[in-house]
Each structure stands twice: as C-alpha cells, then as structure tokens.
Amino acid sequence: MSTPASRTPASRHHKRPRGEGQWALGYREPLNKNEENKKNDDGLNVRQRIIDIYSKRGFDSIDPADLRGRMRWYGLYTQRKPGIDGGKTAILEPEELDDRYFMLRVRIDGGQLDLAQLRTIADISNDYGRGTADLTDRQNIQLHWIEIESVPDIWERLEAVGLSTTEACGDTPRVILGCPLAGIDSDEVLDATEQIHEIQERVLGNPAYSNLPRKFKSALSGCPAHCTVHEINDIAFVGVVNERGETGYDLWVGGGLSTNPMLGKRLGVFVRRERVADVYEGVVGIFRDYGYRRLRHRARIKFLVNDWGPEKFREILETEYLKAPLPDGPAPEQPRGSRRDHVGVFPQKDGNFYVGFAPKVGRLDGDKLHAIADIAERHGSGRVRTTVEQKMVVLDVTPDQVDSIVAELEANDLQVRPSTFRRQTMACTGIEYCKLAIVETKATAAQLIDELEQRLPSFDQPLTINVNGCPNSCARIQVADIGLKGQLVVDENGDQVEGFQIHLGGSLGVNPGFGRKVRGLKTTAKALPDYVARVVTNYDTQKKEGESFSDWVQRADEADLK
C-alpha cells in the first residue's frame, strides 16, 4: 500500500518556508492591513487631499486609511481623546481613542534652526496649537491641538522659512540626527552638515523610498561626545579618521529599541564624505527590498541585520546596490566625557561660546520659544540648535555676552547649569496626548525632578532617568541608568493605579548594554520619588572611585536596587 502524500517525509520536512513579505524575493502581495493601505496609495499623495478636501470639509471627511495611516507621512497623528484611562489603551478601537485634534511633528534635520524658523514655530504654536511645543529626543518639535482646517496654512508658514513636516512620521526615512555643534566644535572629527543636506535632497519626499516596511531612523555626526546615540539608530554614520589620516565615516546598521531592543552593528567600512548619500540610499534600498513586511512587529531593519549578520549585509550593499566595494575602516574613538549632551557654556573653535540649556523634560510653549529667539538674537548670531536629549543650544555667543545670556536664560527657567536630575531626565509624550500610552509621563517626570533636587541637592554624578508611557521606548528606557516603563500596577490598597516597571543600569558608549530587570521591581507613580531617591542614595554611598551607576548596578545586591 502506498503512503498517503500527506504523510510522506518530504511533505513533513520540506514545506516551502513562509514568506516574510520581502519584495526582493517576490513577495509583493500585502500581508497585513498596513501594507495593503500603502499599496493602495502612496502616503505622499495624502498631502493634496488634505489641502483640497479635508481642510475644507473638516475632520469627518477624512478617509480612515488616511487618518490613521497616510497622514503620518506629513507628521500628523490624531491625539488621544481626553479622559480615557490607560487601562483602555489596548482595549478600545482606534476610532474610540481618536480625538478630533492632531499632534504635528516639525522635522528639524541636524537640529538646525535660525531665528525666523524658531519664531515661525512659536507663532504656529500660539495661533493653532494652544501654545504647546515639546522638544523630542530626535531633535524635532511637536505641537498639539492642531485642527485639520489649519494644516495648509501651517505648511505654508513652515515651508516659507525652509522647514517641513514631510516624512516626519510614517514608514519613511525620518529626521536625520546631527550634532548641534557641527562646524563649531574644536574637537569634532568632521562637520556632517553637508552630507545631511545631500541625503535630504535625494531622499526626502522621494517616492522611491516612501514605502518602507516601517520607520527608518538615521544619525550622521562627527561629534566626539557621540551625542546622536548612533548605537540605537537604524543607520548611523560616525565620524572617524583612517590610517591615512583621512576623515570619513564608520557605518552602523540595525540599532533600535522598542519591545525588542538591539544595538547597531558595525559593517567595518570606511565611507568617504562623497559616498555618504550613495551608501545611505543603498542601505535604505536594502530595507525597502529585503525588509520583513509580513508581521508589523518584525518590520524594522534590525531584524534583517540580526538574521543576516553584518558580513552578509555588507556584501549585499556592495554587490547589489553600490556595485563596488567599500574600503575597510576603523571603529570610532570612545565618546568624550560621561554625559553625551551639550549643556553648559563651552568654547567654540572660533573664540566664541555655545550655551546649552535644559528645559524641564523638553516641555516648552510658544511664548518660551519666542523668548529663546529674542535671547539668541541679543547675545548670539541667531543660530539655535535642538539636541537628542530634549535640550537646546544657542551658538556664537561672544565672550562679553556669556554672563548676560546665562542670566536671561535662567530667568526664563532655561537652566544652563542644571542639577543632574534636570539635565538628564527625559520623558515621552505620555497619556496626555498619545494613543499608545498607559500612564502620564511629562508631569510625573517634572515632579520627580523637583523632588530629587530637594532630597538630594548635592548629588552630581551622571545619571539618566528616562520615563516612558508604554513599552515602545520612545524615551529610550533600556539604555538609561534608570528606565521607567509605564504600566498599571496594584498599590498598597489593592487598587490599580499608574506605575512603572523599572530597568536599571542601561548604557551606551564604553560598555553598551540594556538595563537590568529585577524580578518584580515596579513602583506606583506616587511612590516613584521615594524609590529613585533610595536607589540613588544606595549608589552614592556604595560606589567605588569613578564607578558609574550602570557599573554599580551590575554588582549591587538586589536588596539595594529595590
């Protein structure tokens, strides 16, 4: 009797592998709703519908596929409807969470702003956004309470001064991070501004790259402090000097956090300045063609890099996309200093000074942006920069103006010499506006700063505290000294309240790694200041000479971490 075909060894062990939706391998049919929407219409095309239809007919006229999908290609997300608690975030349908207002993200590549641009954002904030303005940890500025009817005028104002919201969100190459001191830092390896602009010219709004499997985050810098956190970007170019004394870039790919954190991997190549845009297009092309599109949660380039390895990725880049090999190159030097930011007063290479200051958890408003512009005009050349730590920098301050600009900034609660807690605490948008959030973040983090400054006034060691409203890690919780992931917890009375799972000892730079999760280590939002003060005090009393918080965490007893 013959064996049924369904039971033969060949059919049991040699099934065709399930496709991951990779275009280059022939999987062109959309495998989920997001891919179907993108195939039906490019996200870039929604702009004209916003101008011609939605802004004239109002919120109710917006096609749902545009509202919760394609409008992100122009920096627009619907806000969370007020009054919906975090317990309902994962339960309600999108239309039940949607408010009739939008968050609008203004794209600021390299963090570079002039006074006209800063004042334009300030005016838009006051005219259309109820005065809201948040600095993000990707050098952008986010506005809230935007109505669809206002969007065309907002775009006209922004574009008149050289700004844009194009591809500030969506499955696209988003803002390119750059060092705010590019061109003025006497220790920089090179000034990456020209390369950032060239990539913008080639890629921004280009339909060839407007349908990626998911978002694509970029960094490009010659900063000796490594302020653009290259280790956790999808692609990063890091300034290096090769053995012949030539300046260029070391290429990293596949970094990213969220619920499956991975550090970027070096490809081991030396990228000369004139090749940067070609290499960038090659990498983003690989992501477009080989990236996984079947499952949304595996659609970031880090999963492809992790499966292929850096050697295969380099081979595909060189043979299929660049059609030429890249030379081998050196790894970057270790970052300068223990704080990878630019807060304080420091000399520029031209004899002037830059002044970096710390708004509290990145929260500003339209009036404060105007005040910053006025201060920069009085004391500098009019160049202002944003940072990846939710901070800002005024450039080109002459020596005789340093004391007066510091006084003016601090009179506006923009601290130039802040406490560690003010300087190194960041927070994502949180439940106030974000539909994915479970807990409040901005107000919680601001209150935490105030409490810690009162309780531990003499603490001055580097210490990052990153507060996130959900598991997605927009505030980089896994690489913080103290990372706080928002979730609902049970308090001492048995009630479900806002709280945080705690990650301890994450770091980048010399010893990169993700934070340690101690079993059962959680806190309510109310008890958060008590917890942080306790663990920081334990570190301060137990640390060895020169020992960082993350190094202490690796050897500390669990009892001292609770």
Side-chain angles (χ1 to χ4, degrees):
M1 183 180 296
S2 61
T3 304
S6 61
R7 298 181 60 188
T8 61
S11 65
R12 288 201 306 269
H13 301 297
H14 299 284
K15 291 181 180 178
R16 187 172 184 266
R18 173 184 266 182
E20 291 285 357
Q22 295 164 284
W23 286 0
L25 301 185
Y27 294 100
R28 282 279 179 170
E29 285 305 305
L31 296 171
N32 58 56
K33 188 67 174 177
N34 297 89
E35 290 299 311
E36 183 180 330
N37 287 341
K38 289 186 289 182
K39 183 175 183 179
N40 290 342
D41 190 32
D42 193 299
L44 293 175
N45 295 334
V46 78
R47 176 186 171 101
Q48 210 56 45
R49 289 193 290 276
I50 292 172
I51 293 171
D52 295 340
I53 302 172
Y54 304 147
S55 66
K56 292 180 170 61
R57 299 182 186 176
F59 185 88
D60 292 331
S61 69
I62 304 174
D63 184 296
D66 286 345
L67 182 67
R68 300 179 193 95
R70 301 182 193 101
M71 290 177 77
R72 297 177 185 180
W73 271 242
Y74 289 93
L76 289 158
Y77 285 94
T78 47
Q79 286 182 186
R80 185 189 191 92
K81 191 178 295 181
I84 300 175
D85 67 63
K88 297 178 181 176
T89 296
I91 298 173
L92 297 180
E93 294 298 321
E95 59 269 20
E96 297 177 282
L97 287 166
D98 285 333
D99 202 358
R100 299 172 70 85
Y101 299 93
F102 292 89
M103 177 207 82
L104 179 66
R105 185 176 296 160
V106 181
R107 179 181 179 130
I108 306 172
D109 291 270
Q112 299 188 3
L113 289 169
D114 61 33
L115 295 186
Q117 292 171 332
L118 186 58
R119 286 180 172 134
T120 296
I121 297 172
D123 285 338
I124 292 169
S125 168
N126 285 336
D127 292 346
Y128 295 123
R130 301 187 187 181
T132 56
D134 285 341
L135 298 171
T136 76
D137 63 357
R138 296 199 66 79
Q139 295 184 290
N140 298 311
I141 295 178
Q142 288 181 179
L143 310 176
H144 297 280
W145 300 109
I146 302 299
E147 296 177 301
I148 192 63
E149 292 85 350
S150 309
V151 171
D153 185 56
I154 291 172
W155 283 343
E156 284 187 21
R157 294 194 195 187
L158 290 172
E159 289 162 12
V161 294
L163 290 174
S164 172
T165 70
T166 302
E167 297 182 345
C169 311
D171 295 351
T172 65
R174 299 189 181 183
V175 66
I176 305 169
L177 301 186
C179 176
L181 308 185
I184 69 165
D185 188 336
S186 57
D187 294 329
E188 71 180 350
V189 178
L190 48 74
D191 177 359
T193 302
E194 184 178 340
Q195 286 78 57
I196 290 175
H197 290 164
E198 187 176 0
I199 292 170
Q200 282 183 285
E201 288 294 320
R202 291 203 200 179
V203 172
L204 185 59
N206 184 344
Y209 307 116
S210 60
N211 180 358
L212 303 180
R214 276 199 72 186
K215 58 189 171 185
F216 189 74
K217 296 183 176 182
S218 312
L220 187 62
S221 174
C223 174
H226 296 178
C227 69
T228 57
V229 291
H230 60 272
E231 301 97 328
I232 52 174
N233 280 272
D234 295 289
I235 184 172
F237 294 82
V238 187
V240 293
V241 181
N242 69 10
E243 72 282 355
R244 298 169 61 183
E246 300 171 314
T247 57
Y249 296 93
D250 188 42
L251 178 61
W252 295 55
V253 293
L257 297 178
S258 191
T259 53
N260 288 283
M262 299 181 193
L263 295 174
K265 296 177 174 60
R266 292 186 59 235
L267 296 195
V269 299
F270 181 75
V271 183
R272 292 185 169 84
R273 301 185 200 203
E274 64 272 16
R275 296 301 311 278
V276 166
D278 293 338
V279 171
Y280 186 96
E281 286 192 271
V283 173
V284 77
I286 290 175
F287 182 40
R288 175 195 61 205
D289 301 336
Y290 286 97
Y292 303 150
R293 295 175 183 261
R294 182 171 66 87
L295 297 175
R296 189 79 175 158
H297 69 271
R298 272 180 53 82
R300 296 290 297 276
I301 196 174
K302 63 186 178 183
F303 294 100
L304 179 67
V305 173
N306 190 59
D307 290 347
W308 277 7
E311 295 83 6
K312 179 177 179 180
F313 195 99
R314 176 178 176 176
E315 178 188 358
I316 297 295
L317 174 65
E318 292 175 331
T319 59
E320 294 188 23
Y321 290 83
L322 299 178
K323 309 298 185 182
L326 292 167
D328 293 341
E333 298 288 338
Q334 291 296 339
R336 175 191 68 191
S338 55
R339 289 182 169 96
R340 292 167 71 171
D341 64 16
H342 300 294
V343 175
V345 178
F346 297 95
Q348 301 178 178
K349 64 184 178 184
D350 62 1
N352 292 322
F353 289 81
Y354 70 85
V355 180
F357 57 90
K360 192 176 289 184
V361 294
R363 176 135 286 179
L364 292 167
D365 57 47
D367 290 343
K368 195 63 67 76
L369 291 178
H370 268 303
I372 293 167
D374 292 344
I375 292 168
E377 184 172 37
R378 280 193 291 272
H379 304 289
S381 68
R383 296 196 296 169
V384 178
R385 302 290 182 258
T386 58
T387 82
V388 303
E389 304 294 333
Q390 301 178 337
K391 308 300 187 289
M392 294 186 76
V393 182
V394 176
L395 306 185
D396 310 321
V397 179
T398 57
D400 63 311
Q401 291 291 311
V402 168
D403 290 343
S404 54
I405 191 175
V406 171
E408 277 205 64
L409 287 168
E410 298 205 332
N412 283 273
D413 196 28
L414 302 168
Q415 296 184 13
V416 177
R417 299 181 179 92
S419 69
T420 285
F421 307 115
R422 174 74 169 259
R423 179 173 180 171
Q424 294 194 275
T425 298
M426 72 164 59
C428 73
T429 300
I431 201 170
E432 183 178 10
Y433 299 118
C434 179
K435 293 181 295 182
L436 300 178
I438 301 168
V439 304
E440 163 59 40
T441 55
K442 291 288 190 183
T444 299
Q447 180 185 3
L448 177 63
I449 291 168
D450 292 341
E451 289 273 355
L452 294 173
E453 286 178 340
Q454 290 180 17
R455 299 186 194 195
L456 304 171
S458 62
F459 182 81
D460 62 357
Q461 299 298 304
L463 183 83
T464 53
I465 303 174
N466 295 12
V467 185
N468 217 79
C470 76
N472 289 324
S473 201
C474 294
R476 312 199 299 252
I477 54 174
Q478 295 100 329
V479 294
D481 287 311
I482 300 176
L484 301 167
K485 182 176 77 174
Q487 61 182 154
L488 298 179
V489 301
V490 176
D491 68 8
E492 66 276 9
N493 300 319
D495 297 324
Q496 196 174 60
V497 298
E498 290 191 356
F500 298 92
Q501 182 189 64
I502 299 166
H503 298 239
L504 294 173
S507 64
L508 296 173
V510 179
N511 295 304
F514 301 126
R516 172 182 177 185
K517 289 186 284 187
V518 178
R519 184 182 297 275
L521 186 52
K522 302 174 184 178
T523 180
T524 65
K526 182 180 178 181
L528 181 60
D530 291 336
Y531 168 75
V532 176
R534 184 167 62 249
V535 74
V536 170
T537 299
N538 290 340
Y539 160 65
D540 205 27
T541 56
Q542 296 177 17
K543 69 179 184 297
K544 299 175 183 177
E545 181 69 27
E547 186 175 34
S548 69
F549 183 88
S550 61
D551 288 341
W552 170 77
V553 165
Q554 302 312 312
R555 67 172 180 84
D557 292 336
E558 285 199 5
D560 292 322
L561 303 178
K562 294 184 175 181

